[in-house]
Amino acid sequence: MSVWPAWEVREDGGTTSWFHVRLAFTDGARIDVLAVVSGGCLSLEDVRARPALPLDDLPVLAEWIEGPLSEACGAAPEAGEAGARNRARPAWPGGIEGRWLVAREYRAAQEGGVDPVLAVMCATGHGRRRSLRLIAQARDAGFLAPGHARR
């Protein structure tokens, strides 16, 4: 696997960086990714694979590139997690305050017309499953309307 910077934009005190990531396998298969890092959030702009990559494998792809991409961005590995994923998470409060903040992020994303789950993922630094759990906890605490009518 190789990771190299493509370009970087600095604006309003923040930085948005694009990186090329290439995974080459011994059988000749190859995956090229254009990843964007901005405000502590990572998104994949473009994924090209030969042979084609099934959609079910995208979460695995994210896990494969996460560590090398974090190193390329200058994020230090977390102490005490040898061999685990390297993930720099922003400090996020727990308990009722954390649930309220999750609800606030969720509602702001809805009002802005963007994916609310992705907004919570970016804000908390957690993956999709953990973010969905946090959203459910915010609903249970009464900070968000029920997601669907129960029968």
Side-chain angles (χ1 to χ4, degrees), residues 6-141:
W7 62 91
E8 182 176 275
V9 176
R10 295 175 193 223
E11 180 177 64
D12 297 330
T15 302
T16 302
S17 303
W18 283 261
F19 292 89
H20 290 289
V21 181
R22 176 170 288 160
L23 287 88
F25 300 91
T26 56
D27 64 355
R30 188 171 93 187
I31 302 173
D32 291 309
V33 177
L34 180 62
V36 180
V37 178
S38 177
C41 294
L42 167 69
S43 62
L44 303 180
E45 289 287 318
D46 188 33
V47 177
R48 295 175 188 241
R50 299 259 186 240
L53 184 67
L55 290 177
D56 293 342
D57 288 345
L58 284 177
V60 175
L61 172 65
E63 289 177 11
W64 284 347
I65 69 172
E66 185 176 39
L69 195 55
S70 292
E71 290 174 18
C73 293
E78 293 180 10
E81 286 191 30
R85 289 186 233 161
N86 298 329
R87 184 177 296 194
R89 286 198 178 116
W92 192 261
I96 200 76
E97 182 184 0
R99 291 180 186 121
W100 181 80
L101 290 171
V102 165
R104 187 179 72 179
E105 290 290 332
Y106 188 92
R107 283 193 304 272
Q110 276 185 325
E111 292 169 4
V114 297
D115 182 5
V117 176
L118 184 60
V120 171
M121 289 170 61
C122 287
T124 62
H126 292 294
R128 186 169 186 82
R129 286 184 180 174
R130 177 70 178 130
S131 294
L132 287 170
R133 262 189 244 125
L134 291 171
I135 292 166
Q137 291 171 354
R139 278 200 172 99
D140 292 344

